[in-house]
Structures are given as structure tokens and as C-alpha cells.
């Protein structure tokens, strides 16, 4: 009977110890991954309806095509189109949308998934999408299922003014709404980094109220400036794309999935003369400068792989020659520590992993006695306590 | 040996559970219409059944063993206890007078816009399970990139069960009907449709359909699915997808109507889809003489289609020898096509217009023409949003402009419950005498919507669903087949309007303009009210909480100035808080 009790106690303590070490490992992995992202999400919103706003739909669809080309799957793109120009009776080219008068590329193509269309594109549905507050029956395709390892790209285009953007023809979203929704996203850990891009008149005012960390914003025009269309197609009968989006897309056409171009390169490519307005850039909310963030971190689906760190590393004696095993341990340590240092240079010491966590991440410089001793002591104490209780009863 | 003997039962079990009775059939039907156009219908049918193992469990579908059936379609239906479900999207208007046909080739196509209808098992209390209906419609709306689900609770109705009876009768089920007249079709609806097919638009007939640039240039489009879920009572399930369109055969600058598969789809006969049990091209041969083709059909059959006996040519495409060939059709000696001045109308036609359209009122005028020799029994049904209310006591019916109230044999009316979102449903039992024109008049009133209840494009108006006529007297196919055998021995032309499988005729959807306010008015009112309140309340507040009076302020003059030192009291008026 006593033997059984002892074995039970021993197993309980052992499982506790294992759980504790697992917890530390998880913490270590989490801390070590700060700055990385493992998945990409994109929300592309055209807020304008009616045929004469063809260019806003073309802006959005051109961006949709580009990010799909760079690797973000359709399941991770929420496409919101307030109207349908492709199958509009006015479209002389049914089922097709072009963003250039030369009609080199059909943006509607064959495989397209519009998640919110027509009357579904409202301020409410957009804010619900950002904050994740949906009715239970909302299908998966209409939800932003991002997490703390997601890089989220939000692109909005439409007609706007100082600190607002018009949705459809009857309501507006304010810069404060956007800022608060992004703050909720931040609190709910719905993104790792967020890029907010707007192409509308007075666009820089749309991001002026954002106050959440790890958000980079850019827009086509400053306060007091309009956003201008780029060129018309005479057969379609209206402008087909806006100048800012046209130039951003031209830049993105030059890169592919393996590109090492950074956001700073994108911002440096901005030309106010070509864009007909002075683009706005806001990076002060991000700890990481844009020169250290790849363009494909937002516009592509190139995510880093999450490395799980072994919780227990066996150290081999010197006389056994297993060079691969010896090399592996420091490689893990390097992989985990390097991005951490790069990503968060200003992180205070208190937020950094504890020595114990780091030692686990590094692959175990801690003496095994440091783990075994407390376990043995706790077993002894528990055994004594149990015996005392048994003797009393 | 021992190992093998122990593995044998397991392997047998695996084999037993992995063989399912699934089959896939595809067909393409071409139907030349008298006005120089061509009706094109793709149909993809998958038959599946529940397995013995899954029948023992509570789930009717063989989960995790989908080979031809799409799990993304069937699992939401299964989880929400759906027995049968039909989704239909229609873009464009079907013109009965020009096509000579009463409606699209596929009879399950609904009225204008989108609609979802189906049979769901009741909830535990034996009542209609609206929550499950909401869940399944939203899930399929996400699948088809369309807002199919009800935006509010009262958008669905339960009174159309007798209009759309179940294919497989089951107890303890309820019918749901949800019209979405604003929906239309576009590439984003075709993409998921193709994804659901086992051939994915990559092989077989679906390869011809995977050309959105072509099919969306067609004048009329209809897409839909119809699913019958297997159950314990009937283990055979079926899901069918259809896509239909109308192609203009005559070139814009004139010419003949000759066409071929390549001219229609820019592709020859595609390679057969290996998993297809049958792959058939059907051509409903025109009734006028002179129609020719360059390829002899595998077989020609005779069928009753919309009350007329038609010859249908069939080509079996499942044999590899047809792949890569083109099949051409033309009319002998046809020069430039001359548009006919008159068309033979279908036996029964249905039109709905709004007469006396005022800002607040109007009257639906429904014209039903019966050119046949038989009196027909039918039900005319309408489903209106809550803001449109009919004056049911003023409903009138006239036969050839003579009032004939006795032709309305029954009436079912379920009013909406304004101002909450709800649907008014009206079903009128009607007798349609032979060779007559009925005019049904339904006066209605449009209620005033609140500012927040208008659509974003309020000035455009709002669509209301199609009206529908349901025939109650169709003859079953056996009786009609007897007629076919009779015809073979006699020279009479047979025109039996009851020999048809088309149960429903639809009007087009209707755009109803609503009294739309000037939306700046609320802002004017708010600003005006605020100003009045501020001025009035400010004055009153000041009058009630402040008082006017005199305050003594002692002014002490500096003695060093040599001025006369004195205590001067200055009376001044100031506000005392």
C-alpha cells in the first residue's frame, strides 16, 4: 500500500516537474519569436460603389492580384468590394476588370473570391472584421483569423476627407474608429505587425489617430491634398486606376517572393511628382525601422518557420565524436537569439527572457543537478508529509 | 502467418468501409431558340449514398471519405440537419415572348436574383429550426461568395412547402424559403461552383465552363445547386449543379446562325473526365426543318419538353474517340439570319408589371396567357418584404377583361409584422381556362422606411422577388409516354401542355421605387434642434441658476501717490454665481 502511495507521489512530482519545464520552454519559444511572423493576412477594401468609381475597384483588385502573386493564399485575403464592375451591365468587357488602358492583364481572371460584396460592405462589417466580433454564424471566409504571429496588411481605397472615409454612399468611418479597432486588434493579439495603406483624398489623416504599437502606416496624400486618378480608358469610359496605387503596384511588379527589398525601399520609391500628391509615411509606432522589414513581410506569403526548441538537450562526452550533434546545439541558439536581438533592440531587460529560459533556448548549459536537486528535495518533503498524515490517521 | 490472420479482418473492414456507391454524370445541353440565340445548359450530377458503417452512427454522410462529393458543401448541410436544399442565382431576364420557351432549361432555376430553399429537420421541440437555417445559409453564402443568409430574422418564410414539395418525403421536417432578389452572378460565384465539382473545371465538360470571360458575356445566366441528403430511410443522396446561359449566335454585323463547340467555347470536345460515369452532349433539335450537323449522334430520343414533343440528339463523350473533335451545326441554305416578326409563344406565359405607380401606392398587374386547349389549375404566389402591403380585399381577377372572381379558388395570406423585418406571403389558387388571358390585379401600399432602413443606394429603389405560378395538374411521364407511342402511329401533332416537368413559371424580379427622403434632412433637423435647445436651454438655465445683483468692490488707492486716501466704494453690476 505504502509502495503504491510512494509511486503515485513520485509520478505526481515528476509530472509537475515536466509541466514546469514545458511551460518554461513554451515561454522561451514565445519570447524568442518576437518579431517573427508565421502567416500573412490581408484586408483589401473598396468602399465606393457605382460605375464611375471603377478605379477604386480596379485599385483593390490590382492589389489583390499582386499579393496573390507574391504568395498570400485566397483563404488569407478578405476582399471587400462595395460594387461589382466586372458584371455590371455598363461594362463593355463583361467579366473583366482592367487597371490600365492597354488592357494587358484581366484582374478578375478565373479564380477570384470576393468575401464581402455590395451592400455587405459597411462600416460595421469592416470594424467587426478587424476586431473579430462576429455573430456565431459568420462563415470562415468572412473572418480575419489572424493571431499574434500574423502580419496583417490593410488596404483601403475610396472617397475620403479629413479623418474620414466614405463607405458606400451613406456612411463614413472615422480615423478614430480605425485607430480604436486597431488598438482592439493589438490588445487581442490579432497581429504581430500591421501595415495600413490608404488611397483616398487627405489620406494621411486616416492613420493620424492610430496609437497602437507595431503599426506602420502609409497613404497617398497629406491633409489638404487630393488623390488623383492616373489615366482613363475611353471605351470603359472612366478612370481605371489611381496614381498612388498605380505606382505602388508598378514597384511591387519588380519584386518576387524571394526579394530582399524592404519597406524603406518602397517608401524611397515614392515620387510625389508622379503620384500627384505627397505620400504620407508613419513609422514611429513601430520599434523596427522600415529598413529592416521586408516588403514581402506584408505583401507576400513568405513567412518564417517557427523553430521549436528541444526542452532537454543531451550533452555528449568529448570522446564520442558526433560532430553534427555538437554543431546543432549552438545553431539552435543562434537561430533563436539573433532575430530577437535584431527585432527588439530597445526591449528593456525586464521583458527579456530570464536566464533559465535563455539557457533552455541555448541548449542547456545548466547543470542537471540544478533540476534534479529540487525534485529530490520536494519528493522527500512530500513523502514525510504523507507518512505523518498516514500515521495520524 | 499469425500476423496476416490478425490483419485480415482489419483489411476487410477497411475495404468494406472504403467502397462507396458514388457516381458522377455530366451533360451539356444545347437548345437553339427561334430568335437566333442558343440556350446552353451544363449539368453535373453526383449520386452518393451513406455507408453501412455511417448508417450505424448518427451521420448520414460518409465523413472523411469524400471522393466525388465536396465535403465543404455537404458537411454544413449535415451539421445543420438539412434534408434537401436548393440554391439558385439568376442574372438577366428570361423573355418568354422572344424565346418561345416558358423559362430556362433547368427547371429548378428560381426567379430573378438569388434564392435558397430547402427542407430541414425540426429541432428537439418539433418546431422549425430557424437557427440551423441561418447557420447553413450563411455557411453556403461564404462558400459561394454571396450574401445568401438572412440579414434579419424575419427574412425567411415557411409557407412555401407545398410549392416546393420534397423530392424524398420525410416526416418531422420544415420548409424554408429565403428570396434574395438583389443578388446576381459573377466570376466569384462561378469559381466556387467549379471548385465543388470533382473535375474542378480542368477536365471533362467542366473545362468548357471554366471560361468566365466567355460565359459572363452571355445574355442570361443561371447557376445553382440542388442537394438531396441521404438519410436512414433513403440512403441514396444526390447533388446536382447546373449552369445555364443564352448565347447570341448571330454575329453583331449579321450572318447565319451556324455554330460549333469551338465557336461557342473556343475549345473542341475536351478529354473525358476519367471519373465520370457518363458524359453526354445533347442537342434539342429545332422544330423547323433544315437543321444539320457534321457528326452523327450516338442516339436520338423523343421527349416531352414544355408540352411539346421534341427530338433530342445525344453524343456520348465518355469514349475517347470524341476528344479533340469539333461538332458543328448549321441550317441548310441559310444566308443572313432574319429575325422572325412573331414567335410561337409557350402554352402558358406569365408577366408582372406595376400599374398606377404612385409614390406611396401601386397595383401589380399579373397577366396569365393560356394558349392551350386545356384548362389549367395553378397557384400564384408572391413574397413581399414587410414594407410592401397588399390590399387583399381589393384583389380582382378578369378573364379577357371580364371580371371573373370565381377563378380564384382559394387564398392563403400571411401578413408581415411591420416594422420588424418579415415577409408577406400570398398564395392564390387559380383556374386558368383554355385559350384565355387572365389579369390579376393586386393593389399595394409602400410603407415609409426609416433613415437607417434604406439601402446605401436608396434612390435606386429596391428589388422585390419574382412572382411564381405553380402548376398543380402536370401529368406524370408514364401517361405522356403513352402519347409518344400513339404519335408514332398517327400523324397528329401533339401539344399537351400538361406533359411537362416544369412546375413553376417565374416573373422577373421587380424594382420598386420607394419614397426616398433627402438624407441631409436628418442633419438639418439635428442641427436645428440642437441650436434651439442650446439657445433655449441656455437662457432658461441662466435664468434659473443665476441672479443679477450689485457687488461692492472696495478700491484702495495707493497713499504714496499723494492722492487723497479715501475708501471709495464702487458699485458695479456683475454676475453672482
Amino acid at each position: 500500500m505504502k509502495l503504491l502511495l510512494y509511486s503515485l507521489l513520485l509520478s505526481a512530482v515528476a509530472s509537475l516537474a515536466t509541466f514546469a519545464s514545458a511551460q518554461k520552454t513554451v515561454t522561451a519559444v514565445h519570447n524568442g519569436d518576437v518579431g517573427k511572423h508565421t502567416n500573412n493576412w490581408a484586408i483589401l477594401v473598396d468602399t465606393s460603389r457605382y460605375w464611375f468609381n471603377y478605379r477604386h475597384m480596379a485599385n483593390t483588385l490590382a492589389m489583390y492580384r499582386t499579393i496573390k502573386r507574391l504568395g498570400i493564399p485566397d483563404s488569407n485575403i478578405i476582399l471587400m468590394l462595395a460594387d461589382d464592375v466586372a458584371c455590371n451591365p455598363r461594362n463593355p468587357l463583361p467579366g473583366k476588370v482592367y487597371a490600365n488602358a492597354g488592357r494587358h492583364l484581366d484582374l478578375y481572371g478565373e479564380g477570384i473570391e470576393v468575401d464581402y460584396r455590395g451592400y455587405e460592405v459597411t462600416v460595421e462589417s469592416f470594424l467587426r472584421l478587424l476586431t473579430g466580433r462576429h455573430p456565431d454564424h459568420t462563415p470562415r471566409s468572412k473572418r480575419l483569423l489572424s493571431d499574434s504571429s500574423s502580419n496583417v496588411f490593410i488596404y483601403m481605397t475610396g472617397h475620403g476627407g479629413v479623418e474620414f472615409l466614405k463607405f458606400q454612399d451613406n456612411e463614413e468611418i472615422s480615423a478614430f474608429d480605425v485607430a480604436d479597432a486597431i488598438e482592439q486588434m493589438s490588445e487581442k493579439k490579432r497581429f504581430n505587425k500591421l501595415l495600413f495603406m490608404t488611397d483616398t483624398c487627405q489620406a494621411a489623416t486616416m492613420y493620424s489617430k492610430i496609437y497602437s504599437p507595431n503599426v506602420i502606416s502609409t497613404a497617398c496624400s497629406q491633409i489638404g491634398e487630393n488623390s488623383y486618378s492616373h489615366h482613363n480608358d475611353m471605351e470603359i469610359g472612366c478612370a481605371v486606376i489611381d496614381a498612388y496605387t498605380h505606382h505602388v503596384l508598378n514597384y511591387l511588379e519588380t519584386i518576387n517572393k524571394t526579394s530582399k527589398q524592404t519597406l524603406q525601399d518602397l517608401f524611397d520609391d515614392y515620387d510625389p511628382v508622379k503620384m500627384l500628391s505627397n505620400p504620407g509615411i508613419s513609422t514611429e509606432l513601430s520599434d523596427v525601422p522600415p529598413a529592416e522589414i521586408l516588403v514581402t513581410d506584408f505583401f507576400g506569403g513568405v513567412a518564417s518557420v517557427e523553430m521549436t526548441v528541444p526542452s532537454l538537450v543531451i550533452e555528449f562526452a568529448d570522446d564520442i565524436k558526433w560532430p553534427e550533434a555538437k554543431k546543432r546545439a549552438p545553431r539552435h541558439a543562434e537561430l533563436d537569439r539573433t532575430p530577437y536581438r535584431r527585432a527588439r533592440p530597445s526591449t528593456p531587460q525586464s521583458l527579456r527572457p530570464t536566464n533559465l529560459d535563455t539557457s533552455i533556448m541555448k541548449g542547456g548549459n545548466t547543470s542537471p543537478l540544478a533540476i534534479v536537486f529540487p525534485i529530490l528535495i520536494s519528493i522527500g518533503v512530500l513523502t514525510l508529509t504523507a507518512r505523518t498524515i498516514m500515521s495520524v490517521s | 502467418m499469425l500476423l496476416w490472420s490478425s490483419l485480415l479482418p482489419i483489411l476487410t473492414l477497411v475495404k468494406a468501409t472504403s467502397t462507396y456507391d458514388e457516381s458522377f454524370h455530366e451533360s451539356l445541353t444545347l437548345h437553339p431558340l427561334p430568335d437566333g440565340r442558343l440556350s446552353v445548359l451544363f449539368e453535373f450530377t453526383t449520386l452518393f449514398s451513406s455507408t453501412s458503417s455511417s448508417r450505424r452512427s448518427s451521420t448520414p454522410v460518409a465523413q472523411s471519405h469524400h471522393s466525388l462529393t465536396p465535403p465543404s458543401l455537404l458537411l454544413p448541410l449535415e451539421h445543420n440537419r438539412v434534408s434537401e436544399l436548393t440554391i439558385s442565382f439568376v442574372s438577366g431576364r428570361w423573355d418568354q415572348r422572344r424565346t418561345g420557351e416558358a423559362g430556362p432549361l433547368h427547371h429548378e432555376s428560381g426567379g430573378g436574383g438569388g434564392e435558397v430553399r430547402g427542407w430541414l429537420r425540426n429541432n428537439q421541440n418539433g418546431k422549425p429550426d430557424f437557427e440551423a437555417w441561418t447557420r447553413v445559409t450563411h455557411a453556403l453564402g461564404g462558400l459561394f461568395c454571396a450574401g445568401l443568409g438572412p440579414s434579419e430574422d424575419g427574412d425567411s418564410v415557411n409557407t412555401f412547402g407545398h410549392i416546393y414539395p420534397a423530392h424524398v418525403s420525410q416526416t418531422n421536417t420544415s420548409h424554408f424559403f429565403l428570396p434574395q432578389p438583389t443578388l446576381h452572378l459573377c466570376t466569384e460565384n462561378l469559381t466556387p461552383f467549379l471548385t465543388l465539382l470533382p473535375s474542378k473545371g480542368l477536365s471533362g465538360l467542366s473545362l468548357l465552363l471554366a471560361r468566365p470571360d466567355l460565359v459572363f458575356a452571355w445574355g442570361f445566366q443561371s447557376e445553382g445547386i440542388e442537394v438531396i441528403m441521404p438519410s436512414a430511410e433513403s440512403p441514396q443522396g444526390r447533388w446536382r449543379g447546373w449552369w445555364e446561359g443564352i448565347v447570341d449566335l448571330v454575329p453583331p454585323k449579321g450572318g447565319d446562325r451556324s455554330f460549333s463547340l469551338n465557336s461557342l467555347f473556343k475549345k473542341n470536345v475536351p478529354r473525358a473526365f476519367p471519373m465520370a460515369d457518363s458524359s453526354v452532349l445533347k442537342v434539342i433539335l429545332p422544330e423547323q426543318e433544315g437543321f444539320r450537323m457534321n457528326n452523327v449522334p450516338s442516339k436520338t430520343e423523343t421527349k416531352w419538353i414544355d408540352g411539346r414533343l421534341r427530338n433530342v440528339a445525344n453524343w456520348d463523350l465518355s469514349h475517347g474517340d470524341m476528344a479533340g473533335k469539333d461538332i458543328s451545326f448549321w441550317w441548310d441554305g441559310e444566308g443572313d439570319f432574319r429575325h422572325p416578326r412573331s414567335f410561337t409563344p409557350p402554352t402558358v406565359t406569365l408577366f408582372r408589371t406595376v400599374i398606377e405607380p404612385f409614390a406611396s401606392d401601386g397595383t401589380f398587374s399579373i397577366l396569365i396567357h393560356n394558349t392551350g386547349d386545356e384548362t389549367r389549375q395553378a397557384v400564384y404566389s408572391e413574397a413581399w418584404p414587410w414594407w410592401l402591403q397588399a390590399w387583399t380585399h381589393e384583389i380582382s381577377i378578369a378573364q379577357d377583361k371580364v371580371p371573373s372572381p370565381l377563378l380564384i379558388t382559394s387564398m392563403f395570406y400571411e401578413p408581415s409584422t411591420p416594422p420588424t423585418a418579415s415577409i408577406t406571403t400570398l398564395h392564390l389558387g387559380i383556374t386558368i381556362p383554355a385559350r384565355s388571358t387572365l389579369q390579376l390585379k393586386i393593389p399595394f401600399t409602400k410603407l415609409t422606411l426609416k433613415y437607417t432602413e434604406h439601402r446605401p443606394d436608396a434612390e435606386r429603389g429596391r428589388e422585390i422577388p419574382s412572382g411564381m405560378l405553380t402548376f398543380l395538374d402536370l401529368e406524370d411521364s408514364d401517361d405522356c409516354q403513352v402519347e409518344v407511342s400513339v404519335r408514332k402511329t398517327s400523324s397528329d401533332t401533339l401539344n399537351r401542355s400538361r406533359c411537362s416537368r416544369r412546375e413553376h413559371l417565374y416573373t422577373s424580379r421587380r424594382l420598386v421605387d420607394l419614397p426616398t427622403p433627402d438624407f441631409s434632412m436628418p442633419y438639418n433637423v439635428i442641427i436645428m434642434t440642437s441650436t434651439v435647445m442650446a439657445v433655449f436651454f441656455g437662457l432658461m438655465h441662466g435664468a434659473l441658476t443665476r441672479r443679477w445683483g450689485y457687488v461692492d468692490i472696495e478700491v484702495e488707492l495707493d497713499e504714496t501717490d499723494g492722492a487723497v486716501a479715501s475708501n471709495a466704494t464702487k458699485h458695479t453690476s456683475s454676475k453672482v454665481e
Side-chain angles (χ1 to χ4, degrees):
Chain A
M1 183 62 196
K2 276 185 183 177
L3 193 65
L4 185 68
L5 191 68
Y6 286 159
S7 63
L8 274 174
L9 275 168
L10 194 63
S11 62
V13 169
S15 61
L16 267 174
T18 318
F19 178 70
S21 75
Q23 284 287 87
K24 281 167 189 164
T25 313
V26 168
T27 318
V29 169
H30 180 76
N31 289 340
D33 275 347
V34 170
K36 283 185 183 179
H37 72 286
T38 58
N39 60 88
N40 281 78
W41 284 82
I43 302 172
L44 311 176
V45 194
D46 150 57
T47 64
S48 303
R49 71 182 302 115
Y50 300 131
W51 174 251
F52 56 81
N53 289 318
Y54 186 99
R55 66 182 186 282
H56 292 151
M57 277 150 271
N59 286 347
T60 317
L61 288 165
M63 195 61 83
Y64 171 77
R65 185 202 148 268
T66 300
I67 60 173
K68 263 176 82 172
R69 179 181 67 83
L70 291 174
I72 303 185
D74 242 332
S75 54
N76 285 26
I77 303 173
I78 317 288
L79 181 58
M80 304 176 88
L81 295 179
D83 207 344
D84 182 7
V85 287
C87 296
N88 193 307
R90 285 197 197 181
N91 193 352
L93 311 156
K96 296 178 181 176
V97 177
Y98 291 100
N100 53 62
R103 299 191 202 138
H104 302 300
L105 185 69
D106 175 19
L107 298 174
Y108 229 62
E110 290 181 6
I112 182 160
E113 290 177 18
V114 185
D115 300 299
Y116 290 80
R117 79 172 180 185
Y119 298 138
E120 292 177 308
V121 181
T122 60
V123 172
E124 182 186 339
S125 60
F126 177 66
L127 293 179
R128 284 187 183 281
L129 175 69
L130 292 187
T131 54
R133 298 177 170 202
H134 294 284
D136 289 342
H137 53 67
T138 306
R140 201 180 161 80
S141 64
K142 292 188 175 183
R143 291 171 186 260
L144 178 72
L145 299 170
S146 59
D147 55 34
S148 61
S149 306
S150 310
N151 275 9
V152 179
F153 168 53
I154 301 176
Y155 173 83
M156 302 183 82
T157 180
H159 291 282
V162 177
E163 294 172 4
F164 76 86
L165 177 61
K166 190 174 80 165
F167 265 68
Q168 302 272 359
D169 214 12
N170 67 338
E171 57 179 347
E172 293 152 5
I173 190 169
S174 82
F176 295 90
D177 297 333
V178 172
D180 289 341
I182 290 176
E183 173 59 16
Q184 271 196 41
M185 290 175 76
S186 177
E187 286 169 3
K188 290 179 172 177
K189 299 194 190 309
R190 284 167 71 77
F191 65 84
N192 172 48
K193 287 196 186 70
L194 190 141
L195 176 65
F196 184 73
M197 181 182 271
T198 41
D199 189 344
T200 172
C201 299
Q202 343 263 340
T205 59
M206 276 308 289
Y207 64 68
S208 59
K209 305 300 169 193
I210 297 174
Y211 52 95
S212 311
N214 298 318
V215 178
I216 294 175
S217 308
T218 180
C220 69
S221 56
Q222 299 291 341
I223 185 167
E225 289 183 336
N226 288 337
S227 152
Y228 290 102
S229 63
H230 188 258
H231 65 276
N232 300 339
D233 182 316
M234 297 314 286
E235 193 177 346
I236 289 171
C238 45
V240 289
I241 195 162
D242 280 324
Y244 170 78
T245 303
H246 178 74
H247 284 97
V248 169
L249 291 169
N250 268 357
Y251 170 80
L252 292 174
E253 279 302 302
T254 63
I255 70 169
N256 57 26
K257 289 179 190 175
T258 57
S259 165
K260 295 296 172 200
Q261 294 271 302
T262 63
L263 283 185
Q264 190 60 52
D265 295 326
L266 168 66
F267 297 152
D268 291 344
D269 192 65
Y270 282 0
D271 183 350
V273 178
K274 284 183 182 173
M275 294 177 174
L276 309 173
S277 55
N278 289 295
I281 300 161
S282 162
T283 57
E284 60 264 26
L285 291 168
S286 170
D287 289 340
V288 189
E292 294 179 21
I293 301 173
L294 297 179
V295 172
T296 52
D297 280 356
F298 287 107
F299 293 91
V302 189
S304 51
V305 178
E306 192 169 279
M307 304 290 288
T308 51
V309 182
S311 57
L312 186 63
V313 175
I314 301 165
E315 295 218 340
F316 301 102
D318 289 340
D319 54 341
I320 302 174
K321 292 182 180 175
W322 282 350
E324 291 87 359
K326 268 195 168 181
K327 279 177 188 168
R328 254 178 218 152
R331 210 181 279 168
H332 274 295
E334 194 181 319
L335 271 174
D336 288 326
R337 287 176 62 84
T338 316
Y340 172 73
R341 277 207 302 270
R342 239 192 236 162
R344 300 288 296 267
S346 59
T347 311
Q349 187 64 38
S350 60
L351 290 179
R352 294 192 176 185
T354 60
N355 288 335
L356 183 59
D357 297 339
T358 321
S359 68
I360 292 170
M361 287 160 56
K362 278 157 62 180
N365 286 336
T366 319
S367 163
L369 286 178
I371 298 170
V372 173
F373 240 107
I375 295 173
L376 286 176
I377 289 168
S378 48
I379 290 171
V381 170
L382 282 167
T383 316
L384 280 173
T385 318
R387 288 187 72 169
T388 318
I389 292 167
M390 286 180 71
S391 62
V392 169
S393 61
Chain B
M1 188 64 199
L2 188 68
L3 179 70
W4 275 112
S5 61
S6 61
L7 273 177
L8 199 60
I10 299 171
L11 288 173
T12 317
L13 189 67
V14 168
K15 174 74 179 163
T17 52
S18 62
T19 51
Y20 299 109
D21 185 17
E22 286 188 332
S23 59
F24 177 71
H25 308 269
E26 56 180 12
S27 72
L28 167 62
T29 308
L30 306 177
H31 182 197
L33 299 171
D35 63 342
R37 296 190 295 168
L38 178 77
S39 183
V40 178
L41 169 67
F42 290 90
E43 283 178 300
F44 305 94
T45 309
T46 308
L47 300 173
F48 59 100
S49 62
S50 55
T51 61
S52 55
S53 62
S54 64
R55 236 178 284 163
R56 275 198 296 275
S57 67
S58 59
T59 116
V61 182
Q63 288 192 41
S64 313
H65 292 288
H66 297 268
S67 56
L68 293 174
T69 52
S72 55
L73 173 66
L74 297 188
L75 291 182
L77 302 187
E78 187 194 335
H79 289 159
N80 294 297
R81 296 155 48 85
V82 173
S83 172
E84 294 180 15
L85 191 111
T86 305
I87 298 175
S88 158
F89 298 93
V90 170
S91 272
R93 181 179 296 185
W94 186 273
D95 193 335
Q96 295 172 327
R97 285 170 293 193
R98 285 169 56 106
T99 56
E101 302 295 330
L105 269 179
H106 194 84
H107 296 168
E108 295 295 331
S109 285
E115 67 181 44
V116 199
R117 49 183 195 258
W119 290 87
L120 266 71
R121 292 187 184 83
N122 290 338
N123 60 16
Q124 292 170 340
N125 303 326
K127 295 198 172 161
D129 196 345
F130 276 94
E131 288 179 9
W133 173 249
T134 305
R135 278 196 303 271
V136 74
T137 47
H138 278 286
L140 294 178
L143 188 65
F144 279 96
C145 294
L148 277 179
S151 53
E152 297 191 64
D153 285 343
D155 287 349
S156 305
V157 284
N158 291 109
T159 61
F160 278 71
H162 64 291
I163 302 291
Y164 298 106
H167 294 87
V168 179
S169 63
Q170 290 197 21
T171 54
N172 202 25
T173 54
S174 297
H175 187 261
F176 291 83
F177 176 65
L178 174 58
Q180 296 279 17
T182 54
L183 292 183
H184 67 286
L185 269 177
C186 205
T187 313
E188 64 265 25
N189 310 116
L190 179 63
T191 306
F193 179 83
L194 291 171
T195 313
L196 292 176
L197 300 177
S199 46
K200 307 288 179 201
L202 301 171
S203 132
L205 290 175
S206 69
L207 184 66
L208 302 178
L209 181 58
R211 288 291 302 267
D213 55 330
L214 292 178
V215 299
F216 286 105
W218 297 350
F220 170 92
Q221 295 125 30
S222 160
E223 177 192 290
I225 59 160
E226 177 200 26
V227 190
I228 300 170
M229 294 293 281
S231 61
E233 301 88 38
S234 96
Q236 178 75 60
R238 182 185 82 189
W239 98 264
R240 173 180 289 161
W242 76 84
W243 215 99
E244 186 167 356
I246 299 285
V247 193
D248 215 338
L249 294 178
V250 185
K253 292 182 180 175
D256 61 9
R257 289 180 288 170
S258 61
F259 65 96
S260 70
L261 283 188
N262 196 294
S263 72
L264 293 174
F265 306 107
K266 311 297 179 210
K267 284 190 180 80
N268 290 343
V269 176
R271 191 170 56 85
F273 176 51
M275 299 297 287
D277 293 77
S278 71
S279 180
V280 187
L281 168 67
K282 298 178 186 176
V283 176
I284 301 173
L285 302 176
E287 287 167 319
Q288 60 265 50
E289 297 294 321
F291 186 68
R292 300 284 180 268
M293 57 207 80
N294 72 341
N295 201 306
V296 182
S298 316
K299 67 170 182 178
T300 305
E301 57 188 349
T302 314
K303 269 188 175 179
W304 283 99
I305 297 173
D306 281 336
R308 296 209 289 265
L309 199 56
R310 306 293 297 270
N311 293 318
V312 182
N314 287 259
W315 284 264
D316 186 358
L317 305 182
S318 55
H319 297 301
D321 54 344
M322 289 295 289
K325 290 184 182 171
D326 190 19
I327 305 177
S328 302
F329 306 89
W330 67 93
W331 278 261
D332 256 351
E334 186 184 39
D336 282 2
F337 173 71
R338 301 188 69 173
H339 200 274
R341 291 189 175 178
S342 62
F343 299 95
T344 309
T347 318
V348 180
T349 55
L350 176 69
F351 302 99
R352 182 181 66 181
T353 50
V354 173
I355 54 175
E356 302 159 9
F358 300 108
S360 60
D361 301 283
T363 300
F364 285 119
S365 166
I366 297 114
L367 290 174
I368 305 168
H369 298 281
N370 182 5
T371 57
D373 296 331
E374 297 166 300
T375 298
R376 307 295 302 271
Q377 297 297 328
V379 175
Y380 180 76
S381 308
E382 289 269 9
W384 299 309
W386 64 268
W387 45 265
L388 198 145
Q389 289 187 317
W391 298 98
T392 46
H393 63 286
E394 288 189 20
I395 291 176
S396 64
I397 191 165
Q399 178 187 351
D400 299 322
K401 299 186 179 175
V402 179
S404 314
L406 294 177
L407 293 178
I408 295 180
T409 53
S410 62
M411 181 192 287
F412 173 87
Y413 177 65
E414 188 173 279
S416 55
T417 53
T420 55
S422 47
I423 300 279
T424 304
T425 53
L426 175 71
H427 300 290
L428 294 173
I430 297 179
T431 303
I432 312 169
R435 291 187 300 282
S436 67
T437 299
L438 299 187
Q439 186 181 26
L440 184 64
K441 283 187 179 176
I442 308 174
F444 62 88
T445 292
K446 292 173 275 187
L447 301 182
T448 306
L449 295 188
K450 290 178 193 164
Y451 168 59
T452 52
E453 288 164 346
H454 279 282
R455 298 276 192 203
D457 50 353
E459 285 80 7
R460 181 174 171 268
R462 285 174 76 154
E463 284 98 350
I464 58 165
S466 303
M468 68 183 86
L469 192 70
T470 306
F471 294 113
L472 302 174
D473 54 2
L474 295 182
E475 289 185 5
D476 59 15
S477 52
D478 293 341
D479 293 345
C480 292
Q481 286 310 312
V482 173
E483 300 279 358
V484 174
S485 58
V486 169
R487 186 181 186 271
K488 282 178 180 170
T489 57
S490 78
S491 59
D492 297 341
T493 51
L494 279 176
N495 194 340
R496 293 288 311 279
S497 56
R498 288 184 192 172
C499 285
S500 169
R501 289 189 176 178
R502 187 186 300 282
E503 290 180 16
H504 309 288
L505 293 188
Y506 295 91
T507 69
S508 55
R509 60 185 174 174
R510 173 77 202 182
L511 192 63
V512 174
D513 55 334
L514 283 163
T516 311
D518 175 3
F519 285 114
S520 62
M521 278 307 288
Y523 295 108
N524 295 345
V525 172
I526 290 168
I527 291 165
M528 187 69 189
T529 314
S530 306
T531 310
V532 170
M533 284 298 288
V535 172
F536 178 75
F537 182 79
L539 280 175
M540 291 302 291
H541 185 259
L544 292 172
T545 58
R546 298 174 178 182
R547 62 187 167 83
W548 296 83
Y550 290 99
V551 180
D552 293 336
I553 298 173
E554 292 183 356
V555 180
E556 290 183 5
L557 298 176
D558 195 351
E559 291 178 3
T560 56
D561 288 345
V564 180
S566 64
N567 285 333
T569 303
K570 188 177 179 182
H571 291 279
T572 174
S573 76
S574 70
K575 294 170 192 171
V576 180
E577 297 290 332

